[in-house]
Amino acid sequence: MNAWKLFTAVGAGVTTALLVAVVIIELLQIEFSALVGLPVGVITGIIVTVWLGGSFDELPVGVRRAATAYAAFGMTILAVFAVRYVNLGRNVLSLEVAIGLGLAAVGVVYLALLRSDRALP
């Protein structure tokens, strides 16, 4: 398993876990919605990680490129939260900034992969 495949599988799982958990927590109008949303998000993230890790090589190049850009979002969010955790830039790195950086990472990774694919013979 190469680094690109591992990054994409784990990052897509993290992104999916974050998105599913947040959606469920926001949609449920009960007091302890996180008790439902977090486990469902983690299970969904594990399923995506295992599936993508196993089927990454069979996917078309465009889908692999999109999956890697999707994975960059979750990994960027984790990196921002890690930097916030150690008190570096806590005042600057709000949730909105983290989401903006994640979306910027998606665009940069996708365009970089698109450009590198065109450069290959």
Side-chain angles (χ1 to χ4, degrees), residues 11-84:
V14 168
T15 302
T16 302
L18 289 171
L19 293 177
V20 168
V22 167
V23 167
I24 290 176
I25 290 169
E26 291 297 321
L27 288 178
L28 291 180
Q29 297 298 318
I30 59 176
E31 187 172 344
F32 297 105
S33 60
L35 293 176
V36 176
L38 291 175
V40 171
V42 168
I43 290 169
T44 308
I46 291 170
I47 291 170
V48 167
T49 300
V50 170
W51 173 78
L52 195 56
S55 65
F56 186 76
D57 294 329
E58 288 83 29
L59 296 174
V61 174
V63 175
R64 287 185 289 190
R65 186 184 312 124
T68 303
Y70 176 75
F73 179 81
M75 299 306 262
T76 303
I77 296 294
L78 283 183
V80 169
F81 286 164
V83 169
R84 279 182 51 101

Side-chain angles (χ1 to χ4, degrees), residues 75-109:
M75 299 306 262
T76 303
I77 296 294
L78 283 183
V80 169
F81 286 164
V83 169
R84 279 182 51 101
Y85 181 75
V86 295
N87 288 328
L88 297 174
R90 184 176 289 253
N91 296 333
V92 177
L93 296 174
S94 65
L95 181 62
E96 292 82 10
V97 172
I99 292 172
L101 289 172
L103 292 174
V106 169
V108 167
V109 168

